[in-house]
Amino acid sequence: MSNIPVLISDLAVILIAAGLVTLLFKWLKQPVVLGYIVAGLLAGPAVKSLPTVADPANIQIWADIGVIFLLFAMGLEFSFKKLMNVGGTAGIAAITIVVGMMTAGYVTGMLLGWTPMDSLFLGGMLSMSSTAIVYKAFEDMGLREQRFAGVVLGILVVEDLVGVVLMVLLSTFAVSKSVEGMEMMNSILKLGAFLLFWSVMGIFLIPTFLSKTRKLLNDETLLIVSLGLCLGMVLVATKSGFSSALGAFVMGSLLAETLEAEKIERIVKPVKNLFGAIFFVSVGMMIVPSMLVQYMVPILILTLLVLVGQVIFSSFGILLSGQPLKVAIQSGFSLTQVGEFAFIIASLGVTLKVTDDFLYPIVVAVSVITTFFTPYMIRLAEPAYNFLDKHLPASWKVFLDRYTSGSNTIRHKSAWNRLLKSLLRIVATYTVLSVFFIVIFFQYAAPFILEHIPGIRGAVLCLVIILTLISPFLRAIIMKKNHSREFQQLWKDNKYNRGPLVSLIVVRIMLCINIVMFIVARLFNVALGIGLAIAIAVVLIVVFSKRLKKHSILLERRFLRNLSEREIEQERQSPIKQRFVNSLLLRNLHMARFDVSQDSISVGKTLKELNFRQKYGISVVSIIRGEKRVNIPGGEERLFPFDKVIVVGTDRELEAFRENINEKNQQYKEKLEKNPKGDVIMEQFIIERGSNLISRTIYQSGIRDKAACLVIGIERGNESIMNPSPDTIFEEGDVVWIVGEKNKLVCLSEGKLIK
């Protein structure tokens, strides 16, 4: 044992503790994530009587990897397209929660007699819910397919993005004792530019790469490539000043747009489960019982503040965004915990030496306690909604119904509005891409080129390379939407529109000229007039070059094809079109998927026998079987292991269906364990005088159908009949070789199974 590295022995302690405790929690029918936290308490330094972890720092590294893979898996489930679908809801709710909880945390800290800096950092810590814990709780409780789960995950993603900005704001305030507006704005712009650049580049490059290498990608190579891409983006994110979790989520979201997304999700799941377990165990290891006793009153106050405050601010923010009351209540009760981002903010305060030592353990304790309450708060959402629905005044219900239905109505937009929004999106996107390429080129490529090709020749080569790279973007900035329907409509409708329309083109041309002038000024020491002349010449070439136009169109088509590849494939295979799915959501109906396991009680049964519609009120709309898809299956369609069954129903119907199926599967497993099938063996017996097998064929004997046994040979005198045909007749004295389960072979030889 002395030769085993501490890291391995610590990992053994963690996994053994996690395995034993989670088995207990599964038996108690409690969420597994709570078992991991208890296992962390037992394996941590708090419990001296049991084997404990020798070096918690090493375990923290494993835990960090766990967070990375948890958020990577979440990105695979929740792509940027899904975030855009709930973007308004997620943004409004997240901002409401952060502002509300920061204010409540600051006021509570001041009332407890803490310093303003401690109170400010406390508010920041309490405003962040846990993405990893909520995701795991939804997975364990089978809620990921419900409508509110998508809203909650969207809010958590926006909270993580807001958390990055919040860290910069708190750092600036802690150092300068004042809020630097420009510093915060720079952080927000930097974050937005990072997400925009890597989203565009990732969608352009990654699906193309996977498409070109698809024939070489089996499960093993796809796993390695996916994890490599994930950790590569983690490196890029950390080098850019962002969290590793953000990088993992971004890469998961990019891979979610590919055709291989479901396959990647399946093969990454074991890795995510392993490291995720270590992360949750590490959270439990942070519990210090003596600290809990010393600061019991503040911990209880802050715990109550998180549980009540998150419900209030989350539900209000989600209602404000236009979601129904039930979704708002369910979402609010799901966000009642302090997340792992709080630990990062707490560490920041300790590093900057602006917070007291007691703040970190208090927040850890509040985080652990609220994590314990998370599954129970999620279960409490339904009774809370029923209570509110019963006691809410009728006038309030009418107002909420009108407000939520009104927010979901499609509003007609003017041509100017549509044109300006499109141009803003296009100009911002391609400007960010151009700037990123220029920054990366001047940071890495240009020094290398100028070192090996000094002087004017190297500068000219650099100019040609960077202009070649960004020329498609410059052309898009100038030319996009100039021939669109909105542009033409405005041009024809009113002659007074023509001046502003021309001005929009001129402004974009000036922007591109300034970008080119910056590059020229960086590479050459020339006069302003010469630089302007070069920039104008470049822009004219960009606008009138037919070859560049063709190349730009091809690039854009490839990007749009990659972006919509998975969506188009799903729409093609889907039995119900996406627009109808969206309308189902407004009626509290939605589509969900459940997988048929190998030992499921549903295996081998027809849909008519299972009768899901009559028992649970749900409808089976599709069965996915490998590459095959059976849409609107008939009653005679059977279910097989690993089938993915797509059903439609309400939240209540789907939940009842899932619970009932899980319960029946568990009963079926217990029945098999009590009455296990015997091993298949080979035996022989002799057909003696008076046997009821004499003069019967193998088929007539019913050996295969009634006894589930197989005749593989008959010895008759000096003759051996191998693999006899079903019409072979048994004779007295035959030695029959047969394969089957032992108990059935014994009964067969005694004539009990054959009449």
Side-chain angles (χ1 to χ4, degrees), residues 270-376:
V271 180
K272 177 205 72 174
N273 289 342
L274 172 62
F275 289 104
I278 297 173
F279 164 71
F280 291 113
V281 171
S282 71
V283 172
M285 290 170 59
M286 295 179 188
I287 301 174
V288 181
S290 60
M291 191 68 72
L292 297 181
V293 175
Q294 183 179 355
Y295 291 95
M296 180 63 69
V297 174
I299 289 172
L300 291 177
I301 292 173
L302 294 177
T303 300
L304 185 63
L305 174 65
V306 171
L307 295 177
V308 176
Q310 283 284 6
V311 169
I312 293 173
F313 291 118
S314 302
S315 301
F316 176 73
I318 295 166
L319 273 177
L320 193 64
S321 68
Q323 293 294 331
L325 178 62
K326 183 176 182 180
V327 172
I329 296 295
Q330 289 175 314
S331 303
F333 274 78
S334 301
L335 293 166
T336 52
Q337 70 286 131
V338 175
E340 54 276 0
F341 225 109
F343 306 149
I344 301 173
I345 296 176
S347 301
L348 180 66
V350 173
T351 304
L352 296 173
K353 298 180 180 180
V354 295
T355 58
D356 291 316
D357 294 337
F358 65 82
L359 189 58
Y360 191 99
I362 285 179
V363 169
V364 170
V366 173
S367 174
V368 171
I369 295 172
T370 52
T371 297
F372 266 100
F373 277 109
T374 296
Y376 307 108

Side-chain angles (χ1 to χ4, degrees), residues 220 268 321 445 458 538 600 687:
E220 180 182 359
V268 166
S321 68
V538 170
S600 172
I687 299 180

